[in-house]
Amino acid sequence: MLNYLLLVLYAGAVLSDVEKRPNFVVILTDDQDIVLGGMTPMKNVQQFIAKEGVTFANSYVTSPICCPSRASLLTGQYIHNHRTQNNSLSGNCYGTEWRRKEHRVFANALHDAGYNTFYAGKYLNQYGVKEAGGPEVVPPGWSEWHGLVGNSVYYNYTMSNNGVPTYSTDLYLTDVIRDLSISYIENQTESQPFLMVLAPPAPHQPFTPARRHEGVYSNVTAVRHPNFNIAVDDKHWLLRMPPSPLPETMMPELDRVYRSRWEALLAVDEMVADVIGALEVNALLDNTYVIYTSDNGYHIGQFSQVYDKRQPYETDIKVPLLIRGPGLKKNAVNPQPVLNIDIAPTILHLAGVKAPDMDGRPVKMEKEEIGERYMLVEYYGEGRDGSVDEKCPWKYDGDNLAQCYPEYDCKCQDARNNTFACIRHIAQRLNMKYCVFADTEKFAELYDLTADPYELTNAVDGEFQAIIVWYNNYLSHMLKCRGAKNCDDPMGEFSN
Ligand SMILES: *[C@@H]1O[C@H](CO)[C@@H](O)[C@H](O)[C@H]1NC(C)=O
Ligand SMILES: *[C@@H]1O[C@H](CO)[C@@H](O)[C@H](O)[C@H]1NC(C)=O
Ligand SMILES: *[C@@H]1O[C@H](CO)[C@@H](O)[C@H](O)[C@H]1NC(C)=O
Ligand SMILES: *[C@@H]1O[C@H](CO)[C@@H](O)[C@H](O)[C@H]1NC(C)=O
Ligand SMILES: *[C@@H]1O[C@H](CO)[C@@H](O)[C@H](O)[C@H]1NC(C)=O
């Protein structure tokens, strides 16, 4: 009898604990910057997430490129540990090794702990291609799967609906993701907690707005910070390539890209309002964390570049991160340095689920001071056969250069030796970046972002020689770090 009573009490306690477990909605945009005003069109994100939660003012990604960055968000690991190096299958973007270890994706831990899990939108760039099993493959860890085949597009795409490929010509992808998510929310009850990841294509190239948003920002032009279209001679090889500056005739194209990105984001902003509304109507909002972020930033015209990511500058590595949810402050700004590898451990921590080995660490939601952190940014430059257009004058071996097109005035966007590792060091009185390139010059760049927020002056030959010795040593340890404790303190400086 006593045993029975205990059993009933115990079951009751477990059930009420289970009931209290929070839900999670993660919204992951593609290439949305923060530095150039990429959040300006997001009025609903401001109203329903920023005003109701916490904005992280120092949020960075481990790599300024889609696939490696997404792999970091999904696994909580740095690139040297998840080993997705670039956007190709051969670089482990949904490659063999990734698929073999895909159970590391944080959704698996939640799913195993009883969560219902839902994914809709772009996953890793090579998901669904024939060589990787096609769209019939459903990645492990997801109860419901709506993965986009390949890279971000807005129309004319294949989506894998739980392993059933469905081709669509004229349904705007962001709206499809919105409709699926609303339908999913309507099906949820309080008895089982859920994770929902929504990964819309915006504002990735080709920057196609929904028809209802075409022309909304027709008067907007690209932001011209002091580093806009300036000639460069103190930065790494790719940045020094001509033309520098870009000709004035390219400026209308930069403005067009800038405003199209804003217009393409409006459907995401509407989706956010609709998702929040559906959570509220279904009485789920109070127990749901909503996390809004992007896979990397973007540059348009900085340092005489065209438009892209793949560079170590703030435009490319700094991203929006906003979180609302039970118990969090409202309308708060949190200055602590945060990386995309922190998101998975944060979610698992809030869910009370044990995390597998991760390099990131749970974000301290209540923390108000900056603290100190060394963050690692890794990038492997891509080269590509045949992407140096024959109309371009470059005689360099074409395999090692990428994306050099006449419509970009032949300015190349990437090169194999655009491979770098950076320490992004933020503390109360320090705001530094130090990068080393794997090129024949072993080129190094150092920026003191307090004095030089637009990274106009490479200070590597200046007054900072002592700190550069320290950064070189630190970087070599960071590049081998594994696990949160080790990656926080890779030289064992602060532990005994
Ligand atoms: C989709 O593909 C069809 C057929 O190739 C084409 O006519 C149409 O313009 C495409 N739609 C968009 C929005 O690109
Ligand atoms: C919600 O449930 C309905 C009825 O069972 C089903 O038809 C629909 O596909 C579900 N929606 C999602 C997104 O799972
Ligand atoms: C663009 O600017 C013109 C002139 O200032 C103004 O009349 C018009 O309303 C603006 N259009 C938009 C879409 O803001
Ligand atoms: C991606 O990385 C792999 C492995 O390092 C390399 O073989 C491949 O050439 C890279 N892809 C591109 C486009 O550079
Ligand atoms: C970078 O690669 C290009 C193309 O192979 C080459 O021409 C150039 O000299 C390299 N620059 C450095 C600094 O390694």
Side-chain angles (χ1 to χ4, degrees):
M1 184 62 191
L2 188 63
N3 274 349
Y4 174 73
L5 200 66
L6 279 177
L7 200 69
V8 168
L9 282 175
Y10 179 72
V14 167
L15 267 183
S16 66
D17 273 346
V18 165
E19 270 167 20
K20 267 188 278 163
R21 289 195 295 178
N23 311 306
F24 300 93
V25 176
V26 179
I27 297 153
L28 174 64
T29 53
D30 195 348
D31 288 356
Q32 186 174 16
D33 69 275
I34 182 126
V35 173
L36 300 181
M39 286 298 282
T40 308
M42 313 309 283
K43 305 295 179 223
N44 292 322
V45 174
Q46 288 305 319
Q47 186 182 340
F48 297 118
I49 309 181
K51 277 205 181 134
E52 299 297 321
V54 185
T55 297
F56 289 87
N58 284 305
S59 168
Y60 289 86
V61 289
T62 54
S63 190
I65 189 78
C66 307
C67 202
S69 173
R70 282 164 189 257
S72 279
L73 187 144
L74 291 166
T75 60
Q77 291 184 313
Y78 278 122
I79 294 183
H80 61 270
N81 288 329
H82 65 58
R83 293 162 51 84
T84 292
Q85 281 191 5
N86 59 29
N87 287 344
S88 314
L89 265 183
S90 60
N92 202 28
C93 178
Y94 209 66
T96 318
E97 184 182 343
W98 169 270
R99 279 175 278 140
R100 200 172 63 237
K101 298 185 185 166
E102 209 170 16
H103 56 267
R104 290 174 307 183
V105 169
F106 78 94
N108 289 271
L110 286 179
H111 193 248
D112 291 348
Y115 269 73
N116 197 286
T117 54
F118 170 98
Y119 197 103
K122 172 171 163 183
Y123 188 56
L124 300 186
N125 303 36
Q126 302 296 336
Y127 165 74
V129 302
K130 210 164 124 238
E131 303 89 316
E136 288 76 16
V137 175
V138 175
W142 303 102
S143 324
E144 184 161 335
W145 175 254
H146 302 279
L148 174 69
V149 173
N151 202 357
S152 281
V153 286
Y154 299 83
Y155 294 105
N156 286 339
Y157 52 83
T158 299
M159 192 181 248
S160 166
N161 291 313
N162 299 314
V164 181
T166 313
Y167 187 73
S168 171
T169 53
D170 58 356
L171 296 175
Y172 191 64
L173 180 55
T174 306
D175 293 345
V176 168
I177 295 169
R178 177 197 59 195
D179 293 349
L180 284 166
S181 67
I182 306 296
S183 165
Y184 179 76
I185 290 167
E186 286 168 352
N187 288 354
Q188 302 309 304
T189 61
E190 278 182 15
S191 63
Q192 189 183 16
F194 65 87
L195 159 73
M196 211 165 83
V197 179
L198 307 179
H204 192 277
Q205 207 164 18
F207 332 105
T208 313
R211 285 181 188 114
R212 62 189 181 277
H213 296 135
E214 280 169 7
V216 170
Y217 293 118
S218 56
N219 287 359
V220 168
T221 51
V223 65
R224 268 102 164 139
H225 286 156
N227 54 10
F228 183 80
N229 204 22
I230 56 167
V232 164
D233 61 8
D234 68 352
K235 295 189 167 38
H236 64 104
W237 183 83
L238 188 68
L239 275 267
R240 300 194 307 263
M241 273 189 91
S244 177
L246 299 170
E248 275 305 308
T249 50
M250 269 212 71
M251 297 304 118
E253 171 65 354
L254 300 192
D255 292 336
R256 181 193 69 83
V257 166
Y258 189 89
R259 73 170 74 94
S260 303
R261 283 165 51 84
W262 277 20
E263 289 173 2
L265 280 165
L266 287 173
V268 177
D269 198 48
E270 290 178 354
M271 177 184 84
V272 168
D274 291 347
V275 164
I276 298 276
L279 289 169
E280 188 160 34
V281 166
N282 291 281
L284 296 162
L285 186 58
D286 289 347
N287 196 29
T288 301
Y289 289 95
V290 181
I291 302 173
Y292 185 96
T293 193
S294 168
D295 59 358
N296 49 253
Y298 212 65
H299 59 253
I300 302 179
Q302 284 65 44
F303 310 116
S304 306
Q305 301 170 93
V306 191
Y307 43 84
D308 199 25
K309 50 267 181 171
R310 307 166 194 267
Q311 294 301 328
Y313 309 107
E314 294 292 277
T315 44
D316 296 26
I317 64 171
K318 194 168 186 178
V319 291
L321 175 64
L322 305 97
I323 308 182
R324 69 167 284 166
L328 298 195
K329 286 211 178 105
K330 288 180 198 274
N331 208 11
V333 176
N334 187 320
Q336 71 182 287
V338 176
L339 273 167
N340 56 346
I341 50 175
D342 299 337
I343 291 172
T346 299
I347 289 175
L348 295 180
H349 176 76
L350 290 168
V353 171
K354 194 178 170 327
D357 194 25
M358 292 183 174
D359 305 328
R361 40 146 135 132
V363 172
K364 295 193 179 73
M365 297 290 183
E366 295 305 318
K367 197 166 161 182
E368 274 162 2
E369 70 277 19
I370 284 201
E372 180 169 19
R373 192 168 189 186
Y374 294 85
M375 298 181 285
L376 176 66
V377 178
E378 297 166 88
Y379 181 74
Y380 292 85
E382 290 185 331
R384 206 174 303 149
D385 234 351
S387 70
V388 181
D389 192 282
E390 54 191 27
K391 290 192 213 79
C392 288
W394 317 129
K395 304 276 182 276
Y396 313 114
D397 58 320
D399 286 7
N400 291 325
L401 290 176
Q403 301 185 35
C404 322
Y405 304 116
E407 59 268 35
Y408 295 163
D409 231 70
C410 288
K411 186 87 181 201
C412 300
Q413 312 265 14
D414 206 354
R416 278 204 206 279
N417 54 16
N418 177 38
T419 291
F420 56 82
C422 305
I423 291 282
R424 184 73 180 88
H425 183 196
I426 299 183
Q428 192 62 42
R429 276 189 216 78
L430 265 179
N431 193 6
M432 306 290 285
K433 180 187 298 176
Y434 177 67
C435 303
V436 180
F437 288 78
D439 63 11
T440 56
E441 297 169 347
K442 292 197 166 65
F443 204 81
E445 297 187 28
L446 179 81
Y447 298 98
D448 175 359
L449 285 133
T450 308
D452 181 17
Y454 295 108
E455 300 168 284
L456 298 170
T457 308
N458 179 3
V460 79
D461 295 323
E463 61 193 291
F464 297 103
Q465 296 316 308
I467 203 170
I468 287 173
V469 172
W470 164 253
Y471 282 158
N472 274 323
N473 194 13
Y474 206 91
L475 193 53
S476 65
H477 284 81
M478 278 299 264
L479 283 165
K480 289 179 285 196
C481 81
R482 182 167 204 114
K485 209 162 161 240
N486 181 230
C487 291
D488 262 353
D489 185 16
M491 291 161 70
E493 284 284 303
F494 308 109
S495 57
N496 292 305

